[in-house]
């Protein structure tokens, strides 16, 4: 049974950056399925409305993402000895570029970003990962010994269909590797902003294993990685493949998640209380700053920032603007608001307050903004609780 535990208010499509103001579109609520233990959002929008030609997100914008992808690609070559690799949701080809072009096949339904991957010499199917495409892949490539997907599977509503299709194109001893935000980290950090229209699910290891088993797959290892505010990289095999042992790390992850109660509704009710409290505190902080005539800007017009600002109603008169490095976002409104996104410039004025929309890249940002930080510049964050960070 699905139980609603949190209402995140009226929200827009989190990546719908537009020159025209578009008001919030739908009510975002979070649910827990007491049977499968999956945590999901209530509204599953049409994929075409979210993942289309003008999708603005670019993986290559983060140094950390690039570094982790490079390290993983080495491991895939050396340890898994993969020859025929598939990437589902390759974005601009940041991961796939680490391989010889004839050893990797990419799937990316968003036209503009797929074109960038193609320009890097990659072979890309500009299509959604569905039954039709899987039939075509089988005709064209037979099977894959590694299938990789980062931050894509949780964007697809029908998980059983995804994993069933993966099973069809994965070799008997092959590995499926997926990276997704960790529900445990989300709860620990109170980062409710992991939830927006594209993140249909946020996985716990417990829930993911339940869905996989229904499709004759199982997790055999888990790495906890720092990207996107704390993610898990899952290594998955066919249940029939008895050559690979289930790692201790996997077992430890399950134990830790159970300790936190991720398999129980009470955990999410508690999370909900903390989120509501975080909203009150963050709003108070902003009101106080504005009362004292402080100038506030946003740093990183992320989808996460969109959830926070719309949920906490920090839209009018709080922000002067947001900075972002992504060409596709610049000159447009932060979705659901009239806050303009401007081309990033190094922070100089230490009198302003800088809200970390990209809090998950905090370390990277501190390095970049060493002058601002060293001269007592002030950052605002809500992770793990609303506060001002200053040297
Ligand atoms: P993400 O959290 O969904 O990856 O989005 C982060 C956004 O922040 C993305 O639009 C790129 C932007 N960004 C900057 O503008 N400057 C930076 O230094 C970093 C790391 C990200």
């Amino acid at each position: 049974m699905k139980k609603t535990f949190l209402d995140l208010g009226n929200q827009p499509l989190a990546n719908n950056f537009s020159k025209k103001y578009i008001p919030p579109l739908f009510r975002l609520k979070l649910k827990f399925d007491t049977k499968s233990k999956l945590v999901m959002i209530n509204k599953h929008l049409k994929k075409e409305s979210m993942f289309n030609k003008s999708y603005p997100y670019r993986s290559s914008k983060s140094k950390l993402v690039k570094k982790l992808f490079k390290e993983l690609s080495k491991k895939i070559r050396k340890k898994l000895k993969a020859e025929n690799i598939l990437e589902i949701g390759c974005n601009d080809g940041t991961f796939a570029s680490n391989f010889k072009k004839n050893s990797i096949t990419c799937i990316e339904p968003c036209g503009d970003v797929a074109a960038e991957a193609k320009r890097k010499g990659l072979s890309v199917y500009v299509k959604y990962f569905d039954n039709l495409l899987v039939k075509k892949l089988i005709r064209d490539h037979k099977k894959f010994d590694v299938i990789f997907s980062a931050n894509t599977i949780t964007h697809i509503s029908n998980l059983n269909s995804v994993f069933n299709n993966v099973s069809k194109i994965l070799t008997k001893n092959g590995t499926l590797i997926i990276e997704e935000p960790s529900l445990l980290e989300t709860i620990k950090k109170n980062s409710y902003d992991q939830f927006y229209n594209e993140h249909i699910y946020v996985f716990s290891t417990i829930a993911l294993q339940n869905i996989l088993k229904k499709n004759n797959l199982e997790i055999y290892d888990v790495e906890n990685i720092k990207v996107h505010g704390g993610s898990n990289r899952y290594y998955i095999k066919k249940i029939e493949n008895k050559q690979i042992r289930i790692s201790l790390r996997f077992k430890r992850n399950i134990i830790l998640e159970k300790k936190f109660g991720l398999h129980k509704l009470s955990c999410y009710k508690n999370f909900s209380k903390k989120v509501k409290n975080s909203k009150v505190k963050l709003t108070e902080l902003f009101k106080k700053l504005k009362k004292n005539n402080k100038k506030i800007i946003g740093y990183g017009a992320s989808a996460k920032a969109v959830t926070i600002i719309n949920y906490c109603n920090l839209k009018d008169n709080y922000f002067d603007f947001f900075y972002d490095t992504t060409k596709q976002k610049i000159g447009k409104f932060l979705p659901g608001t009239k806050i303009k996104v401007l081309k990033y410039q190094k922070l100089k004025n230490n009198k302003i307050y800088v809200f970390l929309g990209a809090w998950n890249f905090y370390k990277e940002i501190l390095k970049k903004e060493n002058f601002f930080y060293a001269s007592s510049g002030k950052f605002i964050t809500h992770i793990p609780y609303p506060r001002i960070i200053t040297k």
Side-chain angles (χ1 to χ4, degrees), residues 147-162:
I147 300 178
F148 175 68
S149 186
N151 301 298
T152 301
I153 304 296
T154 50
H155 295 37
I156 307 176
S157 178
N158 190 341
L159 292 176
N160 283 318
S161 157
V162 172

Side-chain angles (χ1 to χ4, degrees), residues 57 228 299-300 302 304 324-326 329 358 360-361 364 368:
Y57 182 77
H228 298 303
Y299 194 112
S302 63
K304 295 182 189 69
D324 202 283
T325 51
T326 316
K329 297 183 182 180
N360 43 316
F361 296 113
E364 204 168 318
K368 223 157 102 178

Side-chain angles (χ1 to χ4, degrees), residues 18 61 69 73 80 126 149 172 176 203 209-210 215 279 286 309 345 350 374 376:
S18 168
K61 288 288 158 203
F69 278 174
S73 68
L80 298 176
V126 189
S149 186
K172 185 168 168 257
L176 164 69
F203 288 150
Q209 185 75 323
N210 287 341
N215 293 284
K279 173 179 176 170
F286 269 74
I309 284 157
Q345 286 182 22
N350 65 358
S376 304

Side-chain angles (χ1 to χ4, degrees), residues 289-323:
L289 290 176
K290 277 287 128 191
K291 213 175 141 195
N292 293 318
N293 294 320
K294 302 293 182 197
K295 182 178 163 119
I296 308 172
I297 68 159
Y299 194 112
S302 63
K304 295 182 189 69
V306 173
T307 296
I308 304 159
I309 284 157
N310 282 281
Y311 173 56
C312 297
N313 212 359
L314 296 171
K315 304 188 222 188
D316 307 320
N317 309 321
Y318 286 106
F319 286 93
D320 281 30
F321 54 83
F322 255 74
Y323 271 147

Side-chain angles (χ1 to χ4, degrees), residues 78-117:
K78 287 198 179 138
K79 282 205 173 161
L80 298 176
K81 303 201 178 351
E83 287 174 6
N84 199 12
I85 305 156
L86 176 72
E87 184 178 7
I88 305 172
C90 75
N91 198 271
D92 57 6
T94 306
F95 170 76
S97 305
N98 291 299
F99 294 90
K100 279 191 194 139
K101 305 290 177 276
N102 60 1
S103 65
I104 187 155
T105 304
C106 301
I107 302 169
E108 176 51 64
C110 305
D112 285 357
V113 73
E116 287 176 33

